[in-house]
Amino acid sequence: MASVREASFDLFRARGMTTMFGNPGSTELPMLADFPDDFTYILGLQEAAVVGMADGFAQASGRPALVNLHTAPGVGNAMGAIFNAQANHSPVVITAGQQARSMMTMQANLTNRDAIRMPHPLVKRSFEVPRAEDTPLALAQAIHHASLPPAGPTFLSIPMDDWGAEVDEDAARHAIERTVVGRAVADPTTVSELAKRLVKAKNPVFIAGPDIDASGAWDAAVELVERQKLPVWATPAPGGGRIGFPENHANFRGVLPPAVGPVSETLAGHDLILCAGTSVFPYYPNIPGPFLPEGAALVAITSDPDEAARAPMGEAIVADVRLTLETLAAAAGDSDRDGPDERWPAEDPQDTDPIDPAAAFVALAEVFPEDGIVVLESPTSTLALRNRLRLSEPGSYFFGAGGGLGFGLSAAVGVQLAQPDRPVLCVIGEGSVQYAVTAFWTAVAYSVPVTFLVMRNEEYGILKWFAGLENVEGAPGLDLPVLETAKIADGYGIATTRADEVDALRTALDGAFSSGGPELIETRVAAGMALA
Ligand SMILES: Cc1ncc(C[n+]2csc(CCOP(=O)(O)OP(=O)(O)O)c2C)c(N)n1
């Protein structure tokens, strides 16, 4: 007879989930006993970093990632990161220890008294098994739920004495072996009607969202855009956790602004707005206006029923993004409409002291490896980075779509663990570093060679920009003087460099990409919003 532990690890093995991210306590030790040699345990020193690393790992590997947290306080610390994983459509399977069954009713120390409810609105499924021997089945369910579209986090609370219980061999074998696939095609009539509308449209436009990348629809999107000669906008940056279209492509126009009125203004003149793999839309500041420009219809293709239902306007098709775009491209064929105009080249950034973030990114673009990956959490320089680097390979960009800080630093470590052969650059504000700062330790402990570029503007710059937008004057707490990020990283064992001039920055970045170890470059940049 196999134990719950043996059957559960067989399940993880069968699903390719042999990397576990965790921070253990006494309630988790029985799960970790006799930890198998073919598994890797990645220790994070605080749970926000643990889940952030798993989120990056899941997205960059395209597979569900396994997490183990310490009962209620561990889950509590991780809540912001679980919120981010949900927004990122990231299949993170979270387990947490629980007091022994015999001690739960008396609520002995470490009992998570309402374990199921605790992470509830942030996960697709939250569960605690009634019988110890059902744990492998419940874990299998958590994995299926996390992986089915829309992918997202799931949660299982596991009483600590369950791991030694014996499973029913037949039930465990079925739980381990059965597979569930969730790629669903759209009704063929709906897609052929859409193809006809697209062909007939005078001035259609394509909006590329993050789930194009996640569903492997990159080539299908390029084919559709090229054959139908469509201009392309990326979905607004706050919700664009991944890039869905090559940003150096001649048809690429830019990143849509993140507010109702400005989106309509930007899309004025288009009669058909075709969105793929995005919510409609990831709005952020409240700048009202019409939802659509005059005369425009909008059709969204999304695998997420919630994205489809909650959009304030337009039509939606719920189906796999890649399969739908492939069918649509074949059905619509080649258009003889004129392609979009040439894009204006970006102006050279100003020479300033401290340097403009745009100037920093021009230097970065000169040395950025072709197969490089950016993980971005530097709020005031998000658009400058997108505009100057023009990332154009699949799986090259990860951004916390939920907006909860702490994703960037930790996800970068997870992305690098999933993609050991691609250079990973984490571009991060010095304020953002602090929310998952312990991920520096994991990068050093496991020799994860991320390059961290800290944009030091000595303020919560984006909040000052928002204060202007919201007509708020005199708000406290928006400056960050004397925050020595390089010294903090040094304490975790990271090699650090300070590079405040463009030439020094270019040299430091070039060296860091090929150093083979984690390195941090801190660069002093001008305060304020860098939009171009
Ligand atoms: C968990 C969390 N807490 C607070 C915020 C609010 N917030 C958004 S941006 C920001 C400042 C970020 O500062 P920094 O990383 O230095 O970047 P900058 O805005 O200066 O570019 C804060 C505090 C948040 N998004 N997430």
Side-chain angles (χ1 to χ4, degrees), residues 16-348:
M17 298 167 70
T18 54
T19 302
M20 184 189 298
F21 296 86
N23 185 269
S26 53
T27 39
E28 290 67 43
L29 292 175
M31 180 182 187
L32 303 178
D34 301 322
F35 197 71
D37 287 347
D38 58 330
F39 279 64
T40 308
Y41 185 83
I42 304 288
L43 176 63
L45 302 188
Q46 203 268 8
E47 291 81 358
V50 171
V51 173
M53 290 191 288
D55 183 345
F57 187 83
Q59 290 193 67
S61 67
R63 287 200 313 272
L66 182 60
V67 169
N68 183 233
L69 302 178
H70 179 52
T71 180
V75 176
N77 281 349
M79 289 291 251
I82 301 173
F83 172 83
N84 284 336
Q86 183 188 49
N88 291 334
H89 289 171
S90 191
V92 179
V93 178
I94 301 165
T95 60
Q98 168 69 295
Q99 230 332 334
R101 283 179 185 271
S102 57
M103 307 277 281
M104 282 166 66
T105 306
M106 67 181 86
Q107 291 183 16
N109 193 23
L110 296 182
T111 303
N112 188 353
R113 64 176 74 173
D114 202 348
I116 295 177
R117 193 150 59 132
M118 195 172 173
H120 202 262
L122 307 181
V123 296
K124 289 178 71 181
R125 177 175 165 82
S126 182
F127 200 59
E128 194 173 66
V129 286
R131 299 190 313 165
E133 57 266 45
D134 294 333
T135 302
L137 178 59
L139 283 167
Q141 291 169 353
I143 296 166
H144 297 312
H145 275 292
S147 311
L148 284 166
T154 54
F155 177 76
L156 185 68
S157 165
I158 308 175
M160 61 189 289
D161 48 347
D162 283 5
W163 292 101
E166 285 186 352
V167 295
D168 175 300
E169 297 271 354
D170 186 51
R173 186 173 54 77
H174 283 296
I176 292 166
E177 284 178 2
R178 69 186 290 274
T179 56
V180 177
V181 287
R183 293 208 112 146
V185 290
D187 175 356
T189 321
T190 309
V191 182
S192 66
E193 290 298 322
L194 177 59
K196 282 183 208 147
R197 281 170 76 183
L198 183 59
V199 167
K200 272 202 210 130
K202 290 216 158 48
N203 189 10
V205 61
F206 185 78
I207 314 298
D211 282 345
I212 289 180
D213 201 29
S215 70
W218 190 274
D219 291 344
V222 172
E223 187 190 339
L224 177 71
V225 160
E226 290 182 348
R227 295 185 73 178
Q228 280 295 306
K229 304 204 171 72
L230 306 172
V232 180
W233 289 88
T235 203
R242 300 171 74 151
I243 282 175
F245 191 82
E247 301 204 338
N248 66 357
H249 193 285
N251 293 34
F252 184 70
R253 307 286 82 192
V255 183
L256 280 180
V260 172
V263 166
S264 292
E265 267 172 46
T266 309
L267 297 177
H270 292 294
D271 53 350
L272 180 61
I273 300 166
L274 178 61
C275 305
T278 175
S279 65
V280 175
F281 283 106
Y283 298 123
Y284 188 17
N286 180 15
I287 307 178
F291 281 114
L292 286 175
E294 206 165 302
L298 180 147
V299 181
I301 300 164
T302 170
S303 62
D304 181 351
D306 183 59
E307 271 181 5
R310 73 176 196 255
M313 75 291 196
E315 302 151 49
I317 300 171
V318 179
D320 183 78
V321 173
R322 174 179 168 176
L323 297 174
T324 310
L325 288 181
E326 283 172 354
T327 316
L328 186 63
D334 297 309
S335 170
D336 53 11
R337 66 170 71 90
D338 293 335
D341 298 339
E342 262 187 44
R343 194 177 54 223
W344 291 100
E347 279 173 28
D348 286 340

Side-chain angles (χ1 to χ4, degrees), residues 378-380 403-405 429-432 435 457 459-463 480:
S378 178
T380 45
L405 300 178
E430 85 265 58
S432 298
Y435 295 80
N457 60 6
E459 60 176 11
Y460 279 164
I462 192 89
L463 299 187
L480 294 180

Side-chain angles (χ1 to χ4, degrees), residues 80-81 84 284 377-382 402-406 428-435 455-464 466 477-478 480 483 525 527-529:
N84 284 336
Y284 188 17
E377 191 170 279
S378 178
T380 45
S381 42
T382 302
L405 300 178
I428 190 155
E430 85 265 58
S432 298
V433 166
Q434 314 310 321
Y435 295 80
M455 309 294 284
R456 176 175 177 158
N457 60 6
E458 307 205 343
E459 60 176 11
Y460 279 164
I462 192 89
L463 299 187
K464 289 189 179 175
F466 261 101
L478 304 184
L480 294 180
L483 181 53
V525 292
M529 192 76 156

